[in-house]
Amino acid sequence: MQCCQENEYRFIELKVGSAQPLYAMFEVLGYGLLYLLARQHGRRGEGKHDVMAARRIELVVLGPDNWFSYKESPGGSVSRFDFEWLQGRINEGLAAEVQARRCDGLNEMTLKLVVFPDTPTIEDDVTAIEALFSPELRDS
């Protein structure tokens, strides 16, 4: 989880060596739905970064570029997974759930796929990920 701004949080499902982006989408979606259930039942947190008081939640599937590709057959051409249609449908469903559950102050929950460049080392992966999510690095 990452605090993006006041009352805005990201739940991030990071995958590097896994072979299935679709599975990661449903993992992070499960976290989001459990969060909605907790909010609906009045669960509260405390402290400066109280995720239970969030106005906006972003569910993120994060992985390297090659993770979103597959070979159509052994030795065949490489294709990209097309999850845009599914991401759109999930976001429609999340919007309806947020509205239906009437969680105090929660205005939005969305699912997002985030790709970082393929790199040769874990250290380079970390640098690429930081560049995506650190405002100081992103704006420089």
Side-chain angles (χ1 to χ4, degrees):
M1 180 181 69
Q2 178 190 32
C3 180
C4 312
Q5 297 179 22
E6 185 177 348
N7 294 322
E8 292 188 13
Y9 296 86
R10 285 187 185 109
F11 297 175
I12 301 172
E13 185 65 26
L14 169 64
K15 298 292 185 183
V16 177
S18 174
Q20 197 46 261
L22 186 60
Y23 184 78
M25 287 175 70
F26 284 100
E27 279 184 305
V28 77
L29 181 59
Y31 305 149
L33 294 175
L34 288 171
Y35 173 83
L36 282 178
L37 189 61
R39 281 283 290 257
Q40 183 181 18
H41 288 284
R43 299 288 189 247
R44 295 290 175 250
E46 53 187 53
K48 182 179 178 185
H49 297 291
D50 178 9
V51 71
M52 298 310 287
R55 284 188 234 125
R56 183 174 188 280
I57 297 288
E58 187 175 74
L59 307 173
V60 177
V61 175
L62 175 62
D65 186 57
N66 67 9
W67 188 62
F68 291 94
S69 300
Y70 65 96
K71 283 194 175 194
E72 295 183 21
S73 63
S77 62
V78 175
S79 297
R80 297 269 305 161
F81 287 110
D82 176 20
F83 291 127
E84 288 183 22
W85 67 272
L86 181 58
Q87 179 182 344
R89 293 290 176 99
I90 289 171
N91 283 332
E92 289 170 11
L94 287 171
E97 282 300 305
V98 166
Q99 185 176 25
R101 291 179 186 271
R102 298 187 183 146
C103 300
D104 287 341
L106 182 64
N107 300 323
E108 182 180 19
M109 180 180 284
T110 58
L111 174 73
K112 183 177 178 182
L113 304 177
V114 177
V115 178
F116 62 89
D118 297 319
T119 63
T121 67
I122 291 174
E123 292 79 10
D124 291 338
D125 287 346
V126 170
T127 300
I129 292 166
E130 286 177 339
L132 288 170
F133 293 108
S134 298
E136 312 79 48
L137 295 173
R138 195 176 43 238
D139 296 336
S140 57

